[in-house]
């Protein structure tokens, strides 16, 4: 059951990244919000504020974003060790922190890690209580 929740978190991370890619660039570019003019380094000259994020920044930044958020739950699902689960929680929390620091840029999309971190904490606590240390469980 817990392994399925970790896999579900990874799937949600990927789905949220795909959703973000179809969102308008004005969601992450402060100049679009303030002036209505796209002022993003590396953006195509023809890009407008209502264009999708994937059209303006390309696919690869979104791939990296999705991988950053999906890999910690995948590793936790594969390992099913308490310490790996807590490491996944720490990684997701770190990504959420980076997202907060960059909330007005593309990397602010890492804020999606906040709800994932909350769920990951619950899963790690359940995993900890179901298989306490010293019980001979493989989960340790």
């Amino acid at each position: 059951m817990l392994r399925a929740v970790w896999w579900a978190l990874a799937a949600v991370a990927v789905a949220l990244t795909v959703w973000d890619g179809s969102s308008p660039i004005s969601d992450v570019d402060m100049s679009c919000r303030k002036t209505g003019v796209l002022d993003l380094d590396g953006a195509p000259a023809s890009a407008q504020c209502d264009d999708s994020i994937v059209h303006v920044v390309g696919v690869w930044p979104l791939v990296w974003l999705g991988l950053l958020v999906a890999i910690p739950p995948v590793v936790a699902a594969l390992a099913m060790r308490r310490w790996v689960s807590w490491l996944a929680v720490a990684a997701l929390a770190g990504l959420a922190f980076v997202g907060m620091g960059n909330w007005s840029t593309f990397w602010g999309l890492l804020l999606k890690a906040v709800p994932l971190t909350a769920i990951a904490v619950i899963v790690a606590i359940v995993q900890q209580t179901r298989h306490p240390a010293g019980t001979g469980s493989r989960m340790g």
Side-chain angles (χ1 to χ4, degrees):
M1 154 101 172
L2 293 176
R3 187 181 309 263
V5 176
W6 284 118
W7 283 113
L9 281 175
V12 167
V14 171
L16 287 173
T17 303
V18 170
W19 178 278
D20 287 339
S22 64
S23 300
I25 192 67
S26 59
D27 288 356
V28 297
D29 183 47
M30 186 62 81
S31 64
C32 276
R33 290 186 211 162
K34 288 183 176 181
T35 65
V37 176
L38 180 63
D39 185 29
L40 189 66
D41 292 336
S46 63
Q48 301 293 319
C49 288
D50 58 348
D51 288 344
S52 68
I53 291 173
V54 71
H55 173 74
V56 176
V57 300
V59 172
W60 288 109
L62 286 163
V63 168
W64 285 112
L65 181 81
L67 285 173
L68 281 171
V69 183
I71 285 176
V74 166
V75 171
L78 293 172
M80 286 307 293
R81 302 274 188 198
R82 288 188 309 261
W83 70 272
V84 176
S85 295
W86 286 110
L87 190 60
V89 168
L92 288 170
L95 291 170
F97 184 75
V98 169
M100 283 184 231
N102 295 292
W103 66 272
S104 65
T105 68
F106 171 79
W107 294 106
L109 294 174
L110 285 171
L111 281 170
K112 74 170 66 63
V114 172
L116 298 176
T117 303
I119 296 168
V121 166
I122 294 167
V123 174
I125 289 171
V126 169
Q127 186 175 351
Q128 186 80 32
T129 58
R130 278 192 176 176
H131 304 284
T135 62
S137 170
R138 182 179 165 267
M139 303 295 279

